[in-house]
Amino acid sequence: MSTRNLLVELFVEELPPKALNKLGEAFSGVLAESLKATGLLADGSAVTTFASPRRLAAHITNVAARAADKQVEQKLMPATVGLDASGNATPALLKKLQALGENESAVARLRKENDGKADILFLDATQSGANLQEGLQKALDDTLAKLPIPKVMTYQINDGWQSVNFVRPAHGLVALHGDEIIPVSTLGLTASNTTQGHRFEAKNPLVTLSSADTYAQQLAEEGAVIASFAERRAEIVKQLDTAAAKQNLKPIEDDALLDEVTALVERPNVLLGQFEEEFLAVPQECLILTMKANQKYFPLLDASGKLTNKFLIVSNINPADASKVIGGNERVVRPRLADAKFFFDQDRKKTLDSRLPGLAKVVYHNKLGSQGERNERVVAIASVIAQQIGGDGFVAKVAQAARLSKVDLLTDMVGEFPELQGIMGRYYAQHEGLADDVAYAIEDHYRPRFAGDDLPRSQVGVVVALADKLETLVGLFSIGEKPTGDKDPFALRRQALGILRMLMETDLPLAFDKLIAQTLSVFNGNADVAEAIQAFCFDRLAVNLRDQGASALEVDAVLSLSPNRLAEVPRRLAAVQAFSNLPEAPALAAANKRVSNILKKVEGVVTAEVNASLLQEPAEKALHQALANTKPKADQLFETGDYAASLQALAALKAPVDTFFEDVMVNAEDPALKANRLGLLATLHQAMNRVADLSKLAS
């Protein structure tokens, strides 16, 4: 079938910038998917997405004017229902054929086919392929219905009577198949070959498209619009880097800001602005945040990463004299910076300690009290943890950092910019002359905030962060606020991962179950809650380890022992992975599983002790001797933390273990003999499962 390229554009009022890229991808994706389902796309059709503040468009190659006809098989009804005793059509069959657009003459074309229960009547027919107008109309309707619109608007169309719903009012529709207009319609609009360019920069208000393939070029040349989101973004990056390089500076990196600015302009023009240097006395995080969040500017940093008094503006216009645009932006940003300076100066007039009573007036959770009560719990938990790590001086610093960790929530700066919580606490602590590790702990106790985030910079910060996250996790679990399915309103999965990462990566001498128990005592919780929290955390850890490339069997082998020192988990996992590559591993894992199953069936406790005088069979004597030779070495390596070598030492047990199970009857009639053989297996089980439960490796 002959094909041509298709262009569909919906011209609208300014779209929500944070949603634009998703809307553009969805518009082109659903449109192409629907056309493909109708049979109008040839193999190898390529889809190009266009999305600008005022348009959503898609260019699709190799689109047919009509889909190919296809043979269809229509299942009708059982033959006993459709045909009478003489083989003539019954009224039920005729009615069914009529509904399918056929008449009585189609009876002769019916065929019978047995489905295993009865003869069924089938009608084979040729279904005409849809033409492009029909297929595109359906695709357009499907696309608008499936767009991920953040908030729908209702507005009147041009006839003044009807109302339609869409993300923003639409004012134009283009549908070109090659150079032919396809007369589809939507939102009160009928397709044409005319669109609009840039509001201020276009050569002509209207752009008449020659064909589907000239869309991007004509919009760029006649309409002063870069229609492609990706191309526009790349152009902004290029201009930002060029403008910054002229000042020997670099623009701040922020993909979210870059995406938002790309969605605000149709033809970017980067300009340089600046503000008074006196504002640089304010913490740079405050200035950067206000410039990015409120003005969409790109602050410029020097080579050391320090903020300068210069910033870049991404303008949507390109006047011959840009001084008024620059001046207007500089005039607008000054009050923002002045506000930040005012907040900073006012906040420093009160000490952090003097603000502490105010936390009692801030509600944390109706079942867990105020932020003041929560603060007291965090201090208590942090102090208990600190006592396990350092001396009185360390404990005092931890307690001070924990006590002041939430006070900056009451400051004017954090009230205006909540994103600065912790950061401002650190600045105010440094202003008061507090020790650096206390000040940085106030900032760092929120870390890690997300996957891949840095951990706190000091042990003081790690302890306060652990206490804060443990208080949140245990407190909410104790009142039944557990994550369910995909719902996690208090981000407890993230809190759990933060705890796990700190315990694994800092190698602090802290037992996980003891931490949970100590935290739970602050809430007067019970053992059931502790078990639920431990299971929840290990489940998150298992998911995280599998995401890093470990197999489910390897992870299960390590975590099934519920190791208390989580810092050992990566080493144990690496040891299990190395062991899994040994040729002896499958047989030893299978044997270990067999031993586990035997011991589970025994009533009472089996002691890992062997009476050598009761050993009779050569195979059990050989296994006992092999254990005597291997176990001390493996145990010694285990105690020194060389888990990989400890497991590899067990490879020598493969042959004697195999022979034992081939030649020895464990369940001997003599009770003493049976107990001795079970003791031998218990010794083997103990030797093999110190690093991980190797039976879990047996698939």
Side-chain angles (χ1 to χ4, degrees):
M1 58 183 176
S2 62
T3 62
R4 289 195 285 180
N5 297 341
L6 176 71
L7 184 281
V8 180
E9 183 207 64
L10 189 61
F11 183 79
V12 295
E13 294 181 14
E14 276 75 5
L15 292 159
K18 291 184 179 179
L20 178 63
N21 200 21
K22 275 188 179 179
L23 288 171
E25 295 290 344
F27 183 84
S28 60
V30 177
L31 193 73
E33 186 181 312
S34 183
L35 289 172
K36 185 175 183 180
T38 314
L40 290 164
L41 294 195
D43 292 339
S45 287
V47 182
T48 303
T49 301
F50 298 100
S52 82
R54 298 200 297 158
R55 71 199 76 238
L56 298 172
H59 180 272
I60 307 172
T61 62
N62 300 331
V63 180
R66 175 178 288 277
D69 296 343
K70 59 181 179 180
Q71 295 297 118
V72 293
E73 178 186 80
Q74 184 72 42
K75 184 178 180 180
L76 301 177
M77 59 187 66
T80 54
V81 176
L83 301 174
D84 61 21
S86 303
N88 299 316
T90 63
L93 178 59
L94 294 175
K95 186 175 181 180
K96 179 69 174 177
L97 291 172
Q98 187 178 6
L100 295 172
E102 300 283 352
N103 55 37
E104 192 172 355
S105 63
V107 175
R109 306 203 312 272
L110 300 183
R111 61 182 173 82
K112 291 181 187 178
E113 193 171 305
N114 193 287
D115 66 354
K117 296 180 180 178
D119 287 337
I120 305 297
L121 294 177
F122 288 87
L123 173 65
D124 293 324
T126 301
Q127 186 180 76
S128 298
N131 63 44
L132 181 55
Q133 182 180 350
E134 297 168 348
L136 183 56
Q137 184 64 62
K138 180 181 181 302
L140 196 55
D141 294 341
D142 288 347
T143 299
L144 298 196
K146 294 179 181 178
L147 282 182
I149 297 174
K151 193 172 182 180
V152 173
M153 286 183 65
T154 300
Y155 63 94
Q156 283 188 333
I157 59 176
N158 290 337
D159 66 6
W161 293 97
Q162 298 181 67
S163 293
V164 293
N165 300 319
F166 195 53
V167 58
R168 291 291 185 271
H171 297 292
L173 177 65
V174 173
L176 286 175
H177 188 225
D179 57 2
E180 179 187 349
I181 298 171
I182 307 300
V184 292
S185 60
T186 191
L187 302 174
L189 304 167
T190 301
S192 70
N193 64 345
T194 303
T195 187
Q196 296 182 38
H198 196 287
R199 281 190 188 275
F200 311 108
E201 303 283 332
K203 291 181 181 178
N204 299 304
L206 298 178
V207 177
T208 301
L209 301 171
S210 303
S211 75
D213 293 341
T214 62
Y215 174 73
Q217 181 183 351
Q218 283 190 258
L219 267 183
E221 294 176 357
E222 300 174 35
V225 171
I226 301 175
S228 166
F229 188 95
E231 289 180 19
R232 209 163 55 254
R233 191 180 193 274
E235 177 62 22
I236 292 173
V237 170
K238 177 183 173 184
Q239 291 190 35
L240 288 172
D241 289 342
T242 301
K246 289 179 180 178
Q247 305 296 318
N248 293 319
L249 302 173
K250 58 182 180 181
I252 198 161
E253 294 181 5
D254 189 323
D255 286 340
L257 176 62
L258 187 56
D259 285 342
E260 189 173 359
V261 170
T262 303
L264 287 169
V265 299
E266 292 203 302
R267 191 170 198 125
N269 178 34
V270 171
L271 304 170
L272 177 70
Q274 60 184 6
F275 55 83
E276 290 76 6
E277 290 190 359
E278 65 185 75
F279 290 120
L280 293 175
V282 179
Q284 71 177 43
E285 292 90 345
C286 308
L287 304 181
I288 289 171
L289 183 59
T290 193
M291 283 192 281
K292 291 197 308 181
N294 296 319
Q295 304 304 131
K296 315 305 175 191
Y297 298 155
F298 287 83
L300 289 175
L301 311 176
D302 63 19
S304 66
K306 186 178 178 182
L307 180 68
T308 69
N309 69 322
K310 296 178 180 179
F311 59 91
L312 296 177
I313 307 150
V314 182
S315 174
N316 194 34
I317 55 176
N318 188 15
D321 180 6
S323 60
K324 289 186 178 180
V325 177
I326 295 170
N329 280 278
E330 291 175 342
R331 188 168 58 252
V332 168
V333 79
R334 283 190 195 103
R336 299 284 189 182
L337 302 180
D339 286 346
K341 186 175 186 303
F342 174 78
F343 293 144
F344 185 56
D345 292 340
Q346 290 298 111
D347 286 341
R348 288 182 295 171
K349 292 178 181 179
K350 293 179 69 175
T351 65
L352 293 175
D353 265 316
S354 70
R355 296 179 185 272
L356 267 172
L359 289 175
K361 301 175 184 178
V362 181
V363 175
Y364 170 56
H365 191 286
N366 61 355
K367 293 183 181 180
L368 295 171
S370 67
Q371 280 284 6
E373 292 170 298
R374 178 172 188 258
N375 203 50
E376 291 173 5
R377 293 193 294 268
V378 172
V379 172
I381 297 164
S383 299
V384 170
I385 297 172
Q387 288 165 9
Q388 301 171 58
I389 298 173
D392 292 344
F394 179 76
V395 174
K397 284 184 176 181
V398 167
Q400 184 182 31
R403 189 176 70 255
L404 300 177
S405 61
K406 301 296 182 186
V407 175
D408 68 349
L409 296 175
L410 304 174
T411 62
D412 291 338
M413 186 71 85
V414 175
E416 181 71 14
F417 300 112
E419 301 93 329
L420 296 177
Q421 57 187 327
I423 295 171
M424 296 315 303
R426 187 253 297 177
Y427 276 108
Y428 297 143
Q430 289 174 325
H431 172 71
E432 294 176 24
L434 301 186
D436 272 351
D437 45 2
V438 172
Y440 280 108
I442 292 172
E443 176 181 353
D444 290 352
H445 85 279
Y446 290 102
R447 297 181 178 179
R449 295 156 295 181
F450 50 83
D453 191 20
D454 293 334
L455 297 186
R457 282 164 276 198
S458 69
Q459 277 199 346
V460 175
V462 169
V463 172
V464 178
L466 272 173
D468 183 68
K469 288 172 171 57
L470 282 166
E471 193 280 338
T472 302
L473 184 66
V474 175
L476 290 165
F477 259 75
S478 67
I479 60 171
E481 294 283 4
K482 305 173 186 177
T484 55
D486 60 350
K487 293 181 180 178
D488 186 10
F490 298 102
L492 295 186
R493 293 186 178 97
R494 189 174 66 209
Q495 300 283 4
L497 280 175
I499 294 167
L500 295 168
R501 272 195 63 199
M502 285 186 282
L503 291 175
M504 288 171 62
E505 296 178 29
T506 59
D507 203 14
L508 293 174
L510 300 170
F512 183 58
D513 60 348
K514 189 176 178 182
L515 282 178
I516 299 297
Q518 290 168 337
T519 306
L520 202 55
S521 67
V522 176
F523 295 93
N524 299 316
N526 56 45
D528 290 342
V529 175
E531 289 178 12
I533 293 169
Q534 189 154 341
F536 173 75
C537 289
F538 275 108
D539 180 60
R540 300 315 307 157
L541 179 56
V543 172
N544 192 45
L545 293 173
R546 291 197 296 269
D547 288 345
Q548 293 176 25
S551 73
L553 294 178
E554 292 164 348
V555 171
D556 193 22
V558 173
L559 297 188
S560 62
L561 297 185
S562 299
N564 268 323
R565 288 290 304 280
L566 296 186
E568 296 178 350
V569 168
R571 298 202 304 273
R572 290 186 183 225
L573 185 58
V576 169
Q577 290 172 321
F579 174 78
S580 298
N581 293 325
L582 296 176
E584 298 88 351
L588 283 172
N592 197 16
K593 186 173 184 179
R594 186 173 178 182
V595 170
S596 298
N597 291 336
I598 291 171
L599 295 176
K600 282 178 187 176
K601 294 175 182 178
V602 178
E603 294 183 6
V605 178
V606 178
T607 307
E609 294 179 356
V610 179
N611 184 342
S613 65
L614 292 177
L615 298 172
Q616 296 182 355
E617 300 291 339
E620 60 183 328
K621 292 178 181 178
L623 178 57
H624 181 250
Q625 186 60 49
L627 278 169
N629 295 337
T630 304
K631 189 173 182 296
K633 180 182 178 183
D635 287 346
Q636 182 185 6
L637 291 167
F638 177 86
E639 297 301 337
T640 61
D642 193 346
Y643 299 135
S646 178
L647 284 181
Q648 288 169 11
L650 299 175
L653 295 174
K654 178 186 179 299
V657 167
D658 288 347
T659 306
F660 177 87
F661 281 117
E662 288 173 6
D663 298 350
V664 178
M665 174 67 72
V666 175
N667 293 321
E669 293 183 5
D670 183 343
L673 196 58
K674 176 180 177 181
N676 200 53
R677 288 173 179 173
L678 288 172
L680 180 61
L681 291 183
T683 305
L684 174 65
H685 190 265
Q686 186 184 78
M688 294 184 69
N689 294 305
R690 296 196 70 185
V691 175
D693 184 351
L694 299 183
S695 68
K696 301 293 184 181
L697 297 176
S699 54

